[in-house]
Every structure is written in structure tokens, then in C-alpha cells.
Amino acid sequence: MAHIYIGNKSQVDPEVLGVVSTLNDEYWAFAEFNAAGRNVDWFIAKASTDEPSVLIMTELKRISRPLRGAFDGIWERQDDDGKWEEIIPANSSDRNYYWQAVNATNALAQWLWNNQARFLHDHSIDKPLDFRIWPDLLLLGPESVQHRLPYRPDSGFGMWFQSLEKWIQHVRAWRPRHGVTLSFGELESLAEALDLERCESPVFTFDPPKTGPAPAPVEIEGFFGWLLQLDQRVANLERELAQQQRHPAADRSKD
């Protein structure tokens, strides 16, 4: 299981959390934290000793209506009446969701370089660009929603995905050619430097919102969901066996 560390639990998407949990223990996932004035949804790193570490920043958006737009322009969202309305980002430098991912990635890379003494062991990085982080945009929503976007950014830097399965396959397959090499110990120190809490349990519960009814707990899907179901079945069998021992059958045959 991946090593998962979380900042703001109330913002973590349980479906993404469940899929990230299926990564092996070479991977470290840092979720919902702030760095250099930017919120980071997911930052995934792979520990390594002899090759550049995988470093992927993923901006997550839950989208229920189609999007359209160009790589470098303002994107639009279709409303319920079929009309298109511009998506105005909170930060004017973002332009669209892709640039939000890129700008968050650059801010995170700058933070890692500036704070490297807090997590690197016995070496240092001279240039900020040596922290090469790949930006992903993950657009999740109903399968019926078809976005009108380019296949990928014109610059070739980063990608966007509309499938959680394809995104996690990309994370597993990604092999950077250049960048820093981060060990298990250094990634553990990074979690400490970011002041994140380790996620130990396969069941993730959202913190209650300030207003409105509290959402029901959400179980992580996949392998851990299967384990929970297995545990429940065993508990049911144990209860049935206990009931049979307390109430033996009246017509039991004699020896």
C-alpha cells in the first residue's frame, strides 16, 4: 500500500484516495495541503535510489457538465440550458484548469527547492528546475459527459485525464528522464516538513461540514473494500455459529 499523508481531510476525494491506496509501498502520496500560497490536491512521489523519482502533481476537478476550450485560452462550461459560460478562475494567472495545475506544480517545485534542507539527506539541489514535477489535470464526472478539449496540451507539458483508471495507469507507468532522486527516508521527512498526517485506516470519513447534515462515511473501494466485506462475512458466520451453540437442534439424532 502507498504511504499516504493528508493535510485537510475534509477536502480529500474518497474515490481518488481509494485508487491511490492501491499503489505499492514505493509510492508516497501527499493530499490536500498548501505550498507557496497554492493548494495541492495530490502530489505523488516514488522512492528511488538509482534513477530520478516520479514526481506528479495532480489537480482534481469534479465536473458534471461538459467543458470546452483551447490549451491556452479561457475554458467554458455548458449549463443546464445548453448555453456556454466562461469559467473565471480565482487566480487570473491560471486562465483555465490546465494552467491552474501548471502554476500549482511550479509553486510546489519552488517550495521543494527552497525547503530542501528540511527533507533532503546529505545532499542539496542547486537549481529549482531540478525538481521536475509533471502536472496532471484529472476531470472526473459522469461517463456521459463529453468534454470538447484538445487531446493534450499543445506544449506537451502535462496531461489531462477523464478516467481515474487511465490516470492511475499513467502514474504507475511514468518514468522521468531527469530530476531528483528521493529515498524513503527523505519522503518521510518531506511529509513531516509539510506537517501532514498519515492515513492509516482503509476507511476514510469526511469531517462534518460547518452547515448542513453530515455526510455518511465513505469506504475506500477496491482491495480494502473487499477486505471489509470479508471481515463482515466472517463476523456473520461467527454470530450464526454462536446462535446454533445456544439453541441446538431439537431433533438431533442419538448415538
XYZ file of all heavy atoms in Angstrom, residues 181-240:
471
model
N 16.501 12.401 -7.070
C 16.279 11.046 -6.565
C 15.978 11.152 -5.077
O 16.788 11.664 -4.311
C 17.521 10.165 -6.791
O 17.765 10.072 -8.195
C 17.302 8.780 -6.226
N 14.804 10.690 -4.680
C 14.358 10.809 -3.295
C 14.222 9.428 -2.670
O 13.589 8.536 -3.245
C 13.020 11.548 -3.227
C 13.015 12.977 -3.788
C 11.613 13.552 -3.764
C 13.972 13.859 -3.001
N 14.799 9.258 -1.504
C 14.761 7.979 -0.796
C 13.514 7.886 0.080
O 12.783 8.864 0.263
C 16.008 7.831 0.074
O 15.986 8.796 1.120
N 13.281 6.694 0.660
C 12.178 6.510 1.597
C 12.285 7.507 2.750
O 11.307 8.152 3.132
C 12.183 5.081 2.151
C 11.404 4.101 1.330
C 11.886 3.654 0.122
C 10.191 3.623 1.779
C 11.183 2.742 -0.647
C 9.465 2.715 1.019
C 9.967 2.271 -0.201
N 13.504 7.606 3.315
C 13.698 8.493 4.447
C 13.449 9.947 4.111
O 12.896 10.705 4.920
N 13.843 10.355 2.911
C 13.645 11.746 2.506
C 12.171 12.050 2.280
O 11.692 13.140 2.619
C 14.469 12.034 1.252
C 15.965 12.091 1.543
C 16.813 12.167 0.300
O 16.401 11.633 -0.755
O 17.917 12.738 0.370
N 11.426 11.110 1.725
C 9.991 11.317 1.523
C 9.252 11.335 2.858
O 8.284 12.077 3.035
C 9.424 10.241 0.601
C 9.869 10.382 -0.858
C 9.437 9.167 -1.675
C 9.294 11.656 -1.478
N 9.720 10.547 3.793
C 9.138 10.586 5.137
C 9.420 11.946 5.784
O 8.541 12.539 6.433
C 9.709 9.465 5.998
C 9.053 9.349 7.360
C 9.536 8.136 8.130
O 10.551 7.520 7.721
O 8.891 7.785 9.132
N 10.632 12.455 5.589
C 10.967 13.776 6.111
C 10.161 14.868 5.415
O 9.813 15.885 6.029
C 12.464 14.042 5.944
O 13.238 13.131 6.697
N 9.844 14.665 4.129
C 9.034 15.633 3.401
C 7.631 15.714 3.996
O 7.076 16.805 4.157
C 8.961 15.252 1.922
C 8.046 16.116 1.055
C 8.462 17.583 1.104
C 8.038 15.608 -0.390
N 7.047 14.566 4.328
C 5.727 14.566 4.956
C 5.747 15.339 6.260
O 4.809 16.086 6.578
C 5.269 13.127 5.191
N 6.831 15.184 7.002
C 6.972 15.913 8.266
C 7.127 17.407 8.012
O 6.548 18.240 8.730
C 8.174 15.377 9.037
C 8.384 16.031 10.394
C 9.560 15.438 11.151
O 10.129 14.431 10.673
O 9.911 15.975 12.216
N 7.907 17.770 6.984
C 8.111 19.183 6.670
C 6.810 19.843 6.224
O 6.584 21.032 6.489
C 9.172 19.325 5.582
N 5.956 19.080 5.552
C 4.672 19.607 5.106
C 3.622 19.593 6.209
O 2.510 20.085 6.016
C 4.160 18.793 3.906
C 4.909 18.984 2.592
C 4.492 17.931 1.580
C 4.673 20.385 2.036
N 3.977 18.985 7.347
C 3.084 18.911 8.512
C 1.788 18.176 8.166
O 0.682 18.634 8.452
C 2.771 20.310 9.044
C 2.135 20.263 10.430
O 2.337 19.271 11.148
O 1.415 21.217 10.780
N 1.937 16.997 7.536
C 0.785 16.202 7.126
C 0.605 15.005 8.048
O 1.553 14.512 8.652
C 0.964 15.723 5.677
C 1.204 16.819 4.636
C 1.308 16.214 3.246
C 0.107 17.875 4.677
N -0.623 14.526 8.127
C -0.956 13.393 8.990
C -1.059 12.117 8.162
O -1.692 12.097 7.101
C -2.283 13.653 9.702
C -2.711 12.551 10.651
C -4.023 12.849 11.328
O -4.515 13.993 11.209
O -4.590 11.932 11.970
N -0.477 11.052 8.650
C -0.505 9.789 7.918
C -1.895 9.182 7.950
O -2.562 9.181 8.986
C 0.507 8.807 8.499
C 0.522 7.471 7.749
C 1.786 6.707 7.958
N 1.833 5.526 7.126
C 2.909 4.847 6.833
N 4.079 5.243 7.300
N 2.882 3.778 6.057
N -2.324 8.672 6.815
C -3.611 7.985 6.700
C -3.364 6.494 6.915
O -2.807 5.820 6.057
C -4.233 8.236 5.330
S -5.813 7.406 5.047
N -3.772 5.976 8.050
C -3.506 4.591 8.422
C -4.663 3.652 8.087
O -4.471 2.477 7.839
C -3.228 4.500 9.925
C -2.014 5.307 10.386
C -0.704 4.633 10.056
O -0.725 3.546 9.442
O 0.348 5.199 10.421
N -5.891 4.159 8.123
C -7.068 3.299 8.045
C -7.573 3.160 6.620
O -7.565 4.132 5.859
C -8.184 3.859 8.923
O -9.379 3.135 8.744
N -8.057 1.967 6.240
C -8.664 1.805 4.920
C -10.048 2.425 4.819
O -10.631 2.458 3.759
C -8.754 0.282 4.753
C -8.832 -0.239 6.140
C -7.968 0.685 6.951
N -10.607 2.886 5.935
C -11.898 3.562 5.916
C -11.665 5.038 6.146
O -11.040 5.432 7.126
C -12.850 3.006 6.997
C -14.161 3.781 6.985
C -13.088 1.534 6.755
N -12.159 5.858 5.231
C -11.936 7.295 5.323
C -13.271 7.986 5.537
O -14.221 7.765 4.808
C -11.305 7.807 4.023
C -10.943 9.265 4.087
C -9.774 9.673 4.695
C -11.783 10.218 3.554
C -9.439 11.005 4.752
C -11.448 11.546 3.607
C -10.273 11.949 4.203
N -13.347 8.800 6.575
C -14.566 9.513 6.907
C -14.329 11.011 6.792
O -13.354 11.527 7.320
C -15.020 9.191 8.350
O -15.138 7.775 8.469
C -16.359 9.846 8.642
N -15.218 11.696 6.080
C -15.102 13.143 5.975
C -15.398 13.810 7.308
O -16.247 13.368 8.066
C -16.097 13.678 4.936
C -15.673 13.459 3.525
C -16.338 12.546 2.731
C -14.617 14.165 2.989
C -15.948 12.340 1.438
C -14.219 13.957 1.686
C -14.890 13.047 0.910
N -14.710 14.900 7.598
C -15.066 15.717 8.748
C -16.409 16.376 8.477
O -16.680 16.809 7.350
C -14.013 16.797 8.991
C -12.688 16.200 9.434
O -12.710 15.086 9.985
O -11.646 16.846 9.215
N -17.292 16.480 9.474
C -18.606 17.098 9.252
C -18.461 18.533 8.776
O -17.606 19.277 9.251
C -19.253 17.042 10.645
C -18.517 15.976 11.359
C -17.114 16.009 10.835
N -19.292 18.943 7.799
C -19.244 20.332 7.348
C -19.798 21.263 8.418
O -20.473 20.836 9.346
C -20.147 20.324 6.103
C -21.096 19.202 6.337
C -20.295 18.151 7.094
N -19.519 22.554 8.291
C -19.966 23.515 9.276
C -21.475 23.672 9.253
O -22.097 23.979 10.259
C -19.277 24.864 9.032
C -17.767 24.819 9.247
C -17.138 26.173 9.023
C -15.635 26.118 9.263
N -14.985 27.430 9.035
N -22.092 23.533 8.085
C -23.529 23.657 7.969
C -24.072 22.469 7.208
O -23.384 21.861 6.395
C -23.923 24.945 7.240
O -23.336 24.946 5.927
C -23.443 26.166 8.013
N -25.356 22.158 7.448
C -25.997 21.067 6.732
C -25.716 19.738 7.383
O -24.907 19.622 8.308
N -26.393 18.683 6.922
C -26.218 17.360 7.517
C -24.851 16.785 7.228
O -24.248 17.058 6.196
C -27.316 16.531 6.826
C -27.557 17.236 5.525
C -27.361 18.702 5.818
N -24.344 16.004 8.151
C -23.033 15.376 7.983
C -23.125 14.259 6.966
O -24.060 13.453 7.000
C -22.549 14.819 9.324
N -22.204 14.168 6.014
C -22.229 13.091 5.033
C -21.895 11.765 5.678
O -21.211 11.698 6.693
C -21.138 13.497 4.027
C -20.210 14.359 4.833
C -21.074 15.083 5.829
N -22.396 10.699 5.071
C -22.136 9.361 5.591
C -20.694 8.980 5.319
O -20.081 9.448 4.363
C -23.077 8.364 4.918
N -20.077 8.139 6.176
C -18.715 7.667 5.917
C -18.627 6.965 4.578
O -19.545 6.284 4.145
C -18.469 6.694 7.081
C -19.413 7.128 8.140
C -20.624 7.622 7.415
N -17.486 7.142 3.932
C -17.264 6.536 2.622
C -16.126 5.545 2.725
O -15.044 5.874 3.183
C -16.908 7.615 1.567
C -16.723 6.975 0.199
C -18.005 8.674 1.522
N -16.366 4.330 2.296
C -15.332 3.304 2.344
C -14.474 3.356 1.096
O -14.943 3.589 -0.009
C -15.970 1.922 2.457
C -16.700 1.682 3.758
C -17.266 0.277 3.822
O -17.113 -0.471 2.849
O -17.863 -0.051 4.848
N -13.213 3.147 1.271
C -12.304 3.072 0.136
C -12.663 1.860 -0.702
O -12.897 0.769 -0.194
C -10.847 2.961 0.616
C -10.428 4.284 1.244
C -9.913 2.624 -0.537
C -9.037 4.271 1.773
N -12.683 2.070 -2.024
C -13.035 0.995 -2.927
C -11.851 0.076 -3.162
O -10.752 0.303 -2.689
C -13.519 1.590 -4.256
C -14.753 2.451 -4.095
C -15.168 3.107 -5.390
O -14.450 2.924 -6.385
O -16.181 3.774 -5.401
N -12.101 -0.965 -3.935
C -11.021 -1.860 -4.323
C -10.696 -2.887 -3.280
O -11.568 -3.425 -2.603
N -9.414 -3.143 -3.117
C -8.940 -4.223 -2.272
C -9.397 -4.069 -0.826
O -9.841 -5.018 -0.196
C -7.418 -4.281 -2.336
C -6.802 -5.316 -1.424
C -6.967 -6.659 -1.672
C -6.079 -4.930 -0.317
C -6.406 -7.605 -0.841
C -5.506 -5.865 0.518
C -5.675 -7.209 0.261
N -9.299 -2.840 -0.292
C -9.659 -2.647 1.100
C -11.163 -2.777 1.305
O -11.610 -3.205 2.363
C -9.139 -1.303 1.604
C -7.650 -1.276 1.708
C -6.900 -0.591 0.763
C -6.995 -1.945 2.704
C -5.526 -0.572 0.833
C -5.608 -1.926 2.786
C -4.885 -1.242 1.852
N -11.940 -2.381 0.309
C -13.375 -2.615 0.410
C -13.690 -4.097 0.463
O -14.571 -4.542 1.215
N -12.957 -4.895 -0.308
C -13.150 -6.344 -0.283
C -12.781 -6.914 1.080
O -13.457 -7.785 1.609
C -12.307 -6.985 -1.374
C -12.348 -8.498 -1.356
C -13.297 -9.302 -1.901
C -11.385 -9.364 -0.744
N -12.996 -10.621 -1.670
C -11.837 -10.696 -0.972
C -10.198 -9.160 -0.041
C -11.118 -11.794 -0.506
C -9.505 -10.262 0.415
C -9.963 -11.556 0.184
N -11.693 -6.399 1.673
C -11.307 -6.864 2.997
C -12.388 -6.572 4.032
O -12.682 -7.405 4.893
C -10.000 -6.199 3.426
C -8.707 -6.723 2.793
C -7.527 -5.934 3.328
C -8.518 -8.204 3.078
N -12.980 -5.401 3.930
C -14.035 -5.060 4.877
C -15.243 -5.982 4.713
O -15.868 -6.412 5.689
C -14.456 -3.608 4.681
C -13.417 -2.551 5.081
C -13.886 -1.170 4.652
C -13.192 -2.586 6.575
N -15.585 -6.289 3.474
C -16.708 -7.195 3.228
C -16.394 -8.592 3.759
O -17.258 -9.266 4.338
C -17.008 -7.254 1.727
C -17.528 -5.934 1.165
C -17.681 -5.971 -0.330
O -17.499 -7.028 -0.955
N -18.022 -4.845 -0.931
N -15.162 -9.048 3.573
C -14.764 -10.358 4.078
C -14.860 -10.396 5.592
O -15.350 -11.368 6.177
C -13.330 -10.668 3.624
C -12.734 -11.993 4.134
C -13.554 -13.182 3.638
C -11.283 -12.128 3.684
N -14.401 -9.345 6.242
C -14.470 -9.278 7.695
C -15.914 -9.330 8.170
O -16.229 -9.978 9.174
C -13.800 -7.989 8.171
C -13.780 -7.885 9.692
O -13.062 -8.679 10.321
O -14.484 -7.024 10.234
N -16.817 -8.681 7.439
C -18.233 -8.692 7.815
C -18.822 -10.081 7.660
O -19.603 -10.548 8.503
C -19.006 -7.683 6.955
C -20.471 -7.534 7.352
C -20.639 -7.010 8.752
O -20.015 -6.027 9.123
N -21.448 -7.667 9.556
N -18.426 -10.787 6.584
C -18.956 -12.141 6.375
C -18.483 -13.077 7.475
O -19.242 -13.915 7.971
C -18.511 -12.651 4.995
C -19.209 -11.969 3.829
C -19.064 -12.778 2.553
N -17.679 -12.883 2.126
C -17.115 -12.022 1.292
N -17.806 -11.003 0.824
N -15.856 -12.163 0.930
N -17.216 -12.940 7.879
C -16.699 -13.773 8.971
C -17.455 -13.492 10.256
O -17.815 -14.405 11.008
C -15.185 -13.527 9.159
C -14.688 -14.225 10.415
C -14.412 -14.027 7.945
N -17.734 -12.211 10.526
C -18.475 -11.858 11.732
C -19.876 -12.455 11.711
O -20.385 -12.940 12.731
C -18.546 -10.336 11.872
N -20.522 -12.456 10.538
C -21.862 -13.046 10.422
C -21.828 -14.542 10.691
O -22.713 -15.086 11.372
C -22.437 -12.773 9.030
C -22.766 -11.305 8.813
O -22.952 -10.558 9.780
N -22.835 -10.886 7.565
N -20.819 -15.218 10.164
C -20.696 -16.656 10.396
C -20.471 -16.955 11.869
O -21.022 -17.926 12.410
C -19.543 -17.222 9.551
C -19.781 -17.285 8.041
C -18.503 -17.726 7.322
C -20.913 -18.265 7.712
N -19.661 -16.139 12.539
C -19.404 -16.333 13.962
C -20.686 -16.156 14.782
O -20.943 -16.903 15.732
C -18.337 -15.353 14.436
C -16.946 -15.683 13.910
C -15.918 -14.642 14.323
O -16.345 -13.544 14.761
O -14.704 -14.920 14.213
N -21.520 -15.177 14.399
C -22.778 -14.990 15.112
C -23.721 -16.167 14.907
O -24.390 -16.631 15.839
C -23.437 -13.690 14.640
C -22.805 -12.428 15.222
C -23.709 -11.230 15.028
N -23.876 -10.928 13.605
C -23.093 -10.073 12.949
N -22.101 -9.475 13.573
N -23.297 -9.832 11.674
N -23.786 -16.685 13.661
C -24.646 -17.824 13.393
C -24.192 -19.057 14.172
O -25.016 -19.804 14.723
C -24.652 -18.129 11.886
C -25.339 -17.047 11.060
C -25.263 -17.351 9.573
O -24.736 -18.448 9.228
O -25.728 -16.522 8.775
